[in-house]
Amino acid sequence: QKEVEQNSGPLSVPEGAIASLNCTYSDRVSQSFFWYRQYSGKSPELIMSIYSNGDKEDGRFTAQLNKASQYVSLLIRDSQPSDSATYLCAVRGSGGSNYKLTFGKGTLLTVNP
Amino acid sequence: GAVVSQHPSRVICKSGTSVKIECRSLDFQATTMFWYRQFPKQSLMLMATSNEGSKATYEQGVEKDKFLINHASLTLSTLTVTSAHPEDSSFYICSAISAGGTDTQYFGPGTRLTVL
């Protein structure tokens, strides 16, 4: 059973702070890792994908992947109230043409003005 | 780029009726589309994987005769909820992967189904 674990939160940070979201996964041969943001009542939107160990930066967002530790994280710098949402970690395992993702249950982030 | 649309965005129907939801990739061809269901305060639950020109692959516990999926073209997949009941009320979301692109799934805006 492939599992993706996230702290459900809520994670509360003040505006301008760094928000750190964490995710662990059980399938050691997982290949692709994604962070999605989901506002209440809306569908997920892609923030970032990461495939290799290390950091990947895109604007205020940095994804970090450590395959040895089976750990992926998302850092949000200069957090804004508009970043308040549920953040979903998703992992694609091995399996060739099987593109199925396993989602975590999400972490609710609240950025306080 | 990578825009996925769904129609309708919201539907209310009576118990026992069937409802069809469309999922379209607007600016790319999608060989694979996925259908998810999400209940309030829960994460996405994959229902089925839809490949163009072939039968959908359903996840364990999902009734294929109740949730009919048709992926007739590289830009359109449909989900029909047959004989809907109140317990089918949920947020249905599709996603698509671009043929020849990466393995990133792009999500549609979702369809909120309410069965009375």
Side-chain angles (χ1 to χ4, degrees):
Chain A
Q1 180 84 10
K2 298 175 184 177
E3 293 182 350
V4 177
E5 300 286 341
Q6 296 181 253
N7 287 328
S8 62
L11 172 65
S12 184
V13 301
E15 184 174 357
I18 296 175
S20 177
L21 304 162
N22 304 315
C23 172
T24 59
Y25 58 95
S26 63
D27 185 358
R28 180 168 292 277
V29 296
S30 296
Q31 299 179 347
S32 310
F33 307 85
F34 304 88
W35 283 100
Y36 288 89
R37 176 174 62 196
Q38 187 175 24
Y39 293 110
S40 181
K42 303 294 186 181
S43 69
E45 56 179 318
L46 179 71
I47 294 177
M48 190 173 294
S49 60
I50 186 167
Y51 300 91
S52 303
N53 279 328
D55 295 0
K56 179 180 178 182
E57 186 174 319
D58 184 0
R60 295 186 296 114
F61 299 96
T62 299
Q64 298 174 318
L65 174 61
N66 184 327
K67 290 185 178 181
S69 299
Q70 295 175 234
Y71 175 89
V72 58
S73 67
L74 179 70
L75 299 177
I76 306 175
R77 290 181 299 281
D78 188 24
S79 295
Q80 302 296 309
S82 58
D83 294 327
S84 299
T86 296
Y87 289 80
L88 301 171
C89 173
V91 176
R92 178 196 162 200
S94 58
S97 60
N98 181 348
Y99 292 106
K100 289 200 300 185
L101 294 178
T102 301
F103 282 87
K105 293 186 177 180
T107 298
L108 177 61
L109 172 66
T110 300
V111 180
N112 302 305
Chain B
V3 177
V4 178
S5 70
Q6 275 184 249
H7 179 79
S9 59
R10 187 179 296 269
V11 58
I12 300 173
C13 69
K14 293 182 178 180
S15 184
T17 60
S18 294
V19 174
K20 179 185 282 189
I21 303 170
E22 292 186 350
C23 176
R24 293 181 185 273
S25 56
L26 297 185
D27 52 359
F28 65 98
Q29 293 185 328
T31 51
T32 304
M33 291 183 169
F34 301 87
W35 286 96
Y36 295 86
R37 180 167 55 182
Q38 187 176 36
F39 293 106
K41 300 192 183 300
Q42 294 187 23
S43 192
L44 285 77
M45 185 190 79
L46 179 65
M47 300 175 67
T49 303
S50 168
N51 290 296
E52 186 266 338
S54 63
K55 291 184 178 181
T57 302
Y58 290 82
E59 295 301 299
Q60 191 172 9
V62 178
E63 300 174 58
K64 62 181 181 181
D65 294 331
K66 181 171 181 63
F67 299 99
L68 302 178
I69 293 172
N70 184 9
H71 194 154
S73 76
L74 285 172
T75 59
L76 173 65
S77 177
T78 61
L79 168 68
T80 301
V81 183
T82 62
S83 187
H85 291 282
E87 58 266 29
D88 298 322
S89 298
S90 188
F91 192 39
Y92 291 85
I93 313 171
C94 72
S95 70
I97 291 179
S98 174
T102 69
D103 59 351
T104 299
Q105 289 189 26
Y106 298 95
F107 284 85
T111 298
R112 189 158 305 280
L113 170 64
T114 303
V115 184
L116 302 177

